[in-house]
Amino acid sequence: MKLRHNFLFLIMLPVLAVAQSDKVVEVTYERSDRGEVTFYATTDSHTPYTVTLSFPRLNNTSYPEGSIHETFIHFGKTRLLTLRPSTENVSIGFSYRYTYRKGNFLLKADTNFVYLFPLAEGKTVRVNRMYSLDRILGKEGQKRLTGLAFHTTAGDTIFAARGGEVTEVNDNSASTSEGTSFQATENYVEVFHKDGTFARYKLFRDGGIFVSPGDEVIPGQPLGIIGGENYKQGSHLRFNVYCPDLKDYSYMPDFYLSPEKTGKPEEHEIYVSEHPLPFVIQEMGKKAKKKFLSKE
């Protein structure tokens, strides 16, 4: 069965670069009684970052001058590196710089991973594709598919399409203007996955999100209540997956389409949302899997 919908969807990708003046990440150092210098990165954010530490000047240590050291960090205090003196009782001399970028640049995205539809089991699934704003404005070379818009009914529950850690939540920015086509500031949930990818779920109702930064979620877990009834297109979920190691940051993942098929959902096709147990537990460790199965 096919349905035709002439909807136009725009999406702006989340920004991966972080201005250093925001002070999301701070790097400090401590000297020990033995003359060692240990560097730490601290952040109050559950969003992961890759910290790049460099040393324009180094004296009295075997660590090479001009070296660059990268470390993945997130919430709390993380040790980056320890410099040890080459000569005892002589202080290490150094100067250092650091930058940080959102995401874990030490990981590689698994573009073959199969996601579940982020709707309730048994729910009819219809999708439209979303493209970058640059493509709509006709800029040459910017023809990027950036995500999917899942048709919903206002008040539907949205579910995690893949397990991971909730890194960001915005729960009080739902637009209220009637006939809206695009609004940059809308409620969303962002989840970080084991392969370094992020998923962003957008257009929740104000106060309608069930999770908080730092929460671990599993596939098929409720995330919140969808809104968007004031949009021209009607209520819908805007969903995209992005990763810093990909050329265009975003990509179209494969989904569980039916018991016989996985792949990329087509526009105008109708699917049924299912959350099969093997797909729910596929990324769980042995202990988590055992605990989960004991409750089934």
Side-chain angles (χ1 to χ4, degrees):
M1 181 178 181
K2 295 186 177 182
L3 293 180
R4 183 171 299 278
H5 297 273
N6 298 316
F7 291 163
L8 175 66
F9 291 94
L10 310 180
I11 185 170
M12 297 296 290
L13 287 177
V15 177
L16 294 177
V18 179
Q20 305 305 303
S21 60
D22 291 344
K23 295 184 179 179
V24 178
V25 176
E26 291 197 41
V27 172
T28 57
Y29 64 88
E30 299 173 5
R31 291 185 183 269
S32 73
D33 295 338
R34 293 175 293 184
E36 298 173 338
V37 181
T38 300
F39 291 82
Y40 297 92
T42 304
T43 180
D44 292 330
S45 173
H46 287 279
T47 298
Y49 292 93
T50 299
V51 176
T52 301
L53 183 64
S54 62
F55 297 92
R57 181 177 64 85
L58 278 174
N59 297 311
N60 192 38
T61 181
S62 60
Y63 199 79
E65 188 173 86
S67 295
I68 295 176
H69 182 79
E70 286 195 329
T71 307
F72 163 67
I73 72 161
H74 81 326
F75 187 79
K77 185 176 182 178
T78 304
R79 188 183 75 85
L80 302 178
L81 176 71
T82 297
L83 301 177
R84 295 177 173 81
S86 300
T87 303
E88 291 185 10
N89 301 319
V90 177
S91 296
I92 296 173
F94 63 89
S95 62
Y96 71 99
R97 300 172 182 150
Y98 72 93
T99 59
Y100 53 92
R101 298 170 290 170
K102 180 179 179 179
N104 186 345
F105 284 76
L106 308 179
L107 297 176
K108 183 174 178 58
D110 178 7
T111 54
N112 294 316
F113 189 87
V114 178
Y115 287 67
L116 301 181
F117 285 131
L119 305 177
E121 288 197 272
K123 182 80 174 178
T124 297
V125 179
R126 293 178 289 123
V127 302
N128 281 88
R129 295 185 176 186
M130 300 188 295
Y131 298 93
S132 68
L133 188 61
D134 284 349
R135 179 188 179 188
I136 303 305
L137 295 177
K139 292 186 178 180
E140 186 177 354
Q142 297 296 320
K143 298 180 179 179
R144 292 183 290 115
L145 183 67
T146 58
L148 294 173
F150 290 90
H151 295 250
T152 56
T153 300
D156 281 351
T157 298
I158 300 303
F159 297 80
R162 181 178 180 179
E165 180 179 1
V166 177
T167 53
E168 296 180 22
V169 168
N170 189 6
D171 200 16
N172 59 358
S173 297
S175 64
T176 57
S177 300
E178 291 299 324
T180 299
S181 293
F182 175 79
Q183 177 72 26
T185 56
E186 286 281 5
N187 294 331
Y188 67 87
V189 171
E190 187 171 88
V191 177
F192 179 69
H193 307 136
K194 289 182 177 180
D195 64 347
T197 56
F198 294 84
R200 182 166 285 204
Y201 306 73
K202 197 170 182 181
L203 290 191
F204 290 94
R205 285 183 174 177
D206 280 345
I209 293 175
F210 306 150
V211 294
S212 301
D215 288 351
E216 291 286 339
V217 297
I218 63 172
Q221 178 174 331
L223 298 179
I225 302 298
I226 200 66
E229 54 265 46
N230 58 310
Y231 275 69
K232 287 181 180 179
Q233 305 93 333
S235 178
H236 60 282
L237 167 71
R238 299 187 173 196
F239 176 85
N240 73 291
V241 176
Y242 68 98
C243 184
D245 82 327
L246 299 173
K247 180 181 178 182
D248 292 325
Y249 293 133
S250 64
Y251 78 100
M252 179 67 66
D254 290 339
F255 285 83
Y256 180 89
L257 304 177
S258 72
E260 296 80 29
K261 185 178 181 181
T262 60
K264 294 170 176 46
E266 298 290 340
E267 291 183 305
H268 317 313
E269 293 286 345
I270 291 182
Y271 306 96
V272 176
S273 178
E274 298 182 58
H275 301 164
L277 182 60
F279 288 84
V280 172
I281 65 176
Q282 61 182 318
E283 288 190 294
M284 291 183 185
K286 289 184 178 180
K287 289 184 179 179
K289 189 180 297 184
K290 183 177 181 180
K291 183 178 180 180
F292 179 80
L293 292 175
S294 68
K295 297 178 180 179
E296 289 293 298

